[in-house]
C-alpha cells in the first residue's frame, strides 16, 4: 500500500476526537489565561506590587499560576466581571436615554416657526429674530419668547 492509505489506518476516528478535545482545552486555557491577566489589571484593591507578583506568577508558571489564581481570587474575579458589566449597561442606558431625549433639531424648530408664522401668530420680525437664534444655536423658539400669543 501507499503511504496515504496508512494514514487512514493509523489515525482512527476516536483519535481525531481526542485530538480535537485537547485542542479545545488548550484554547480554553488561553482564554482563561487572558481573562486572568485582564482581571489582574482591573482589580483596584491590589497594589502595584501585588499585580506584578500575580502577573509574574501566572506568566512564569502558567498552569500552576492560573490554577492558584482561580482558587484564591476566583470569587472576586466573578464579582468584578459583574460590576463591569453593570457599569457598561448603565452607561449604555444613560446614553440611550440622553439620545432619546436629545430635544428637537434646528430643522424641527424652523419648521415649527414657519407654521406659527403661517398661522399669523408671530410677525415677520419675530420670525426673523427667532430664526437667527435657532440657526446660531443659542436658543429654541419656545425660549426666545416668540411662542404663540
Amino acid at each position: 500500500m501507499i503511504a496515504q492509505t496508512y494514514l487512514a489506518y493509523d489515525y482512527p476516528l476516536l483519535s481525531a476526537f481526542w485530538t480535537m478535545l485537547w485542542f479545545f482545552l488548550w484554547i480554553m486555557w488561553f482564554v482563561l489565561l487572558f481573562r486572568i491577566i485582564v482581571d489582574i489589571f482591573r482589580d483596584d484593591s491590589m497594589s502595584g506590587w501585588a499585580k506584578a507578583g500575580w502577573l509574574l506568577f501566572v506568566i512564569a508558571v502558567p498552569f500552576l499560576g492560573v490554577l492558584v489564581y482561580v482558587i484564591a481570587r476566583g470569587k472576586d474575579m466573578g464579582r468584578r466581571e459583574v460590576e463591569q458589566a453593570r457599569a457598561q449597561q448603565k452607561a449604555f442606558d444613560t446614553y440611550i436615554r440622553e439620545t432619546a431625549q436629545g430635544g428637537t433639531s434646528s430643522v424641527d424648530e424652523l419648521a415649527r416657526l414657519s407654521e406659527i408664522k403661517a398661522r399669523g401668530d408671530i410677525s415677520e420680525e419675530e420670525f426673523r429674530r427667532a430664526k437667527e437664534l435657532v440657526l446660531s444655536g443659542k436658543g429654541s423658539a419656545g425660549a426666545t419668547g416668540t411662542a404663540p400669543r
Side-chain angles (χ1 to χ4, degrees):
M1 290 188 170
I2 60 175
Q4 292 168 346
T5 57
Y6 285 136
L7 182 61
Y9 292 110
D10 291 336
Y11 205 71
L13 185 61
L14 290 178
S15 184
F17 288 137
W18 186 249
T19 302
M20 288 188 333
L21 175 70
W22 278 110
F23 183 73
F24 175 75
L25 291 174
W26 185 68
I27 296 296
M28 288 306 297
W29 180 82
F30 271 115
V31 169
L32 182 61
L33 175 69
F34 290 129
R35 285 186 60 130
I36 286 174
I37 290 172
V38 167
D39 186 66
I40 289 171
F41 286 107
R42 180 186 300 158
D43 190 4
D44 293 333
S45 66
M46 273 199 296
S47 69
W49 287 106
K51 289 180 183 185
W54 272 113
L55 191 62
L56 185 65
F57 185 48
V58 166
I59 291 175
V61 189
F63 292 109
L64 183 63
V66 167
L67 182 66
V68 170
Y69 189 87
V70 168
I71 291 170
R73 303 183 52 86
K75 188 174 184 180
D76 292 335
M77 186 177 168
R79 183 184 47 78
R80 281 186 293 277
E81 187 74 27
V82 168
E83 285 175 3
Q84 189 223 10
R86 284 185 181 151
Q88 283 181 338
Q89 183 66 41
K90 183 179 177 183
F92 179 73
D93 291 344
T94 302
Y95 170 75
I96 293 296
R97 197 172 303 108
E98 289 174 358
T99 304
Q101 293 176 353
T104 59
S105 69
S106 58
V107 174
D108 294 335
E109 291 183 28
L110 288 174
R112 190 176 21 217
L113 280 173
S114 296
E115 290 174 11
I116 294 171
K117 181 183 159 218
R119 286 193 313 248
D121 292 337
I122 60 174
S123 68
E124 182 65 37
E125 178 62 25
E126 290 173 324
F127 174 75
R128 187 185 57 74
R129 278 187 282 144
K131 180 179 165 185
E132 286 175 6
L133 281 174
V134 168
L135 292 177
S136 69
K138 293 182 182 175
S140 64
T144 61
T146 57
R149 296 183 235 165

